[in-house]
């Protein structure tokens, strides 16, 4: 429900002034029994949809929250989904989309289509082990209306692979680039040095040894000598949403 609908209901006499005030004050917050209050109005307010984090939730609670969000908005992004919880979602909902990673999915009603805003975001992974987190970022940007291009497995251990793909990026002219890397996390710095677009470094918890769990990648990106932004370790949703906000704002400026 949005403000215009509430005001039209009040003007038509369908609700009284007190009910209209209560609806506006609580607008966008939907209580799911006693376990959650989901923000169904977030996308309209900020441009970023509310994703449902599956990790740490009981399966039955996850299903309730996903159903409430989907019934409100028609589509819902679910992140960090285990195989067990994905099977549970697939048994409860008819329409589920997966990308290249089973750990993120879109649950929808089969009717509500993803809107297209026109912005373009590129997604680059250093290795194939980074694709799972990068796919979360990509699907987030797509849900926010962006077109996407992907370039996988071009880490600096074989830097010629990146240079072979660099022309593709230059020709596409993306509005933002998300670069996922584990290990020493060098790739975002290299990409930012050759591409004329904002680069978002996405450190990934691949790798082992002294800099395990993505810590070395995070610190390396924070110390980058190129100009980049950096999100937290494995924060695919944040990286994708930030890139999409840049791309969507650029598209609005182009349309003026």
């Amino acid at each position: 429900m949005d403000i215009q609908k509430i005001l039209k209901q009040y003007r038509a006499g369908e609700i009284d002034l007190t009910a209209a005030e209560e609806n506006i004050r609580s607008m966008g917050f939907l209580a799911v029994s006693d376990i959650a209050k989901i923000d169904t109005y977030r996308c309209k307010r900020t441009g970023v949809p509310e994703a449902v984090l599956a990790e740490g939730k009981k399966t039955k609670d996850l299903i309730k929250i996903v159903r409430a969000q989907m019934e409100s908005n028609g589509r819902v992004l679910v992140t960090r989904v285990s195989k067990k919880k994905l099977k549970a979602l697939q048994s409860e909902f008819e329409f589920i989309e997966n990308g290249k990673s089973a750990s993120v999915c879109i649950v929808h009603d089969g009717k509500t289509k993803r809107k297209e805003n026109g912005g373009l975001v590129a997604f680059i992974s250093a290795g194939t082990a980074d694709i799972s987190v990068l796919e979360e970022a990509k699907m987030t940007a797509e849900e926010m209306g962006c077109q996407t291009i992907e370039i996988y497995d071009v880490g600096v251990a074989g830097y010629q692979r990146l240079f072979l793909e660099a022309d593709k990026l230059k020709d596409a002219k993306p509005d933002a680039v998300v670069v996922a890397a584990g290990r020493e996390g060098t790739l975002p710095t290299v990409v930012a040095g050759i591409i004329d677009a904002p680069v978002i470094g996405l450190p990934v918890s691949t790798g082992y040894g002294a800099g395990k769990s993505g810590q070395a990648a995070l610190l390396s990106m924070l110390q980058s000598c190129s100009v980049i932004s950096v999100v937290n370790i494995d924060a695919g949703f944040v990286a994708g949403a930030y890139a999409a906000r840049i791309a969507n704002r650029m598209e609005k400026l182009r349309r003026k």
Side-chain angles (χ1 to χ4, degrees):
M1 180 176 289
D2 57 32
I3 292 176
Q4 286 190 0
K5 185 174 180 180
I6 295 170
L7 294 176
K8 286 177 180 178
Q9 287 179 328
Y10 172 67
R11 185 173 64 182
E14 297 174 7
I15 58 176
D16 60 20
L17 183 61
T18 300
E21 181 181 7
E22 289 177 353
N23 285 338
I24 290 173
R25 287 183 180 278
S26 64
M27 187 176 60
F29 290 95
L30 179 63
V32 182
S33 63
D34 60 346
I35 59 171
K37 294 180 179 66
I38 60 176
D39 188 355
T40 61
Y41 204 71
R42 179 176 297 178
C43 192
K44 291 183 179 180
R45 189 174 67 248
T46 69
V48 179
E50 176 165 82
V52 177
L53 176 66
E55 188 175 73
K57 291 182 174 64
K58 294 180 180 178
T59 301
K60 63 177 183 178
D61 291 340
L62 174 65
I63 290 170
K64 287 180 182 178
I65 293 168
V66 169
R67 178 173 286 111
Q69 183 79 356
M70 187 194 69
E71 290 176 352
S72 176
N73 292 334
R75 301 178 65 88
V76 56
L77 177 70
V78 189
T79 64
R80 301 184 75 85
V81 187
S82 66
K83 292 180 179 179
K84 180 180 178 181
K85 287 179 178 176
L86 179 60
K87 287 183 179 179
L89 290 172
Q90 289 171 332
S91 68
E92 290 288 332
F93 301 101
E94 182 178 359
F95 300 100
I96 296 182
E97 297 175 13
N98 285 106
K100 291 182 176 63
S101 170
S103 63
V104 58
C105 64
I106 306 293
V107 181
H108 60 93
D109 57 15
K111 300 176 293 183
T112 306
K113 302 299 182 182
R114 184 168 50 227
K115 60 183 179 180
E116 303 293 339
N117 297 329
L120 177 64
V121 181
F123 293 88
I124 304 175
S125 78
T128 54
D130 307 319
I131 292 176
S132 178
V133 175
L134 191 66
E135 190 71 7
E136 180 180 307
K138 184 177 82 76
M139 291 181 70
T140 299
E142 289 173 343
E143 281 300 294
M144 291 175 63
C146 293
Q147 299 294 317
T148 61
I149 56 175
E150 307 86 43
I151 298 174
Y152 297 132
D153 196 24
V154 291
V156 296
Y159 65 89
Q160 70 277 14
R161 296 174 296 177
L162 175 62
F163 291 143
L164 289 171
E165 300 282 4
D167 286 343
K168 183 189 297 185
L169 285 174
K170 291 175 182 177
D171 292 341
K173 297 181 180 179
D175 299 305
V177 184
V178 176
V179 184
R183 304 289 293 184
E184 82 288 5
T186 307
L187 187 60
T189 296
V190 175
V191 172
I194 61 175
I195 298 298
D196 182 19
V199 171
I200 296 127
L202 172 54
V204 179
S205 57
T206 55
Y208 48 84
K212 64 182 180 180
S213 302
Q215 296 174 41
L218 173 62
L219 292 175
S220 178
M221 292 180 196
L222 289 173
Q223 291 285 92
S224 173
C225 57
S226 298
V227 178
I228 64 173
S229 295
V230 185
V231 299
N232 209 344
I233 299 169
D234 290 340
F237 172 78
V238 177
Y242 185 48
R245 294 186 81 171
I246 294 171
N248 288 338
R249 184 172 289 271
M250 290 298 296
E251 183 62 19
K252 285 182 180 178
L253 291 174
R254 283 191 290 266
R255 292 181 181 182
K256 285 186 177 180

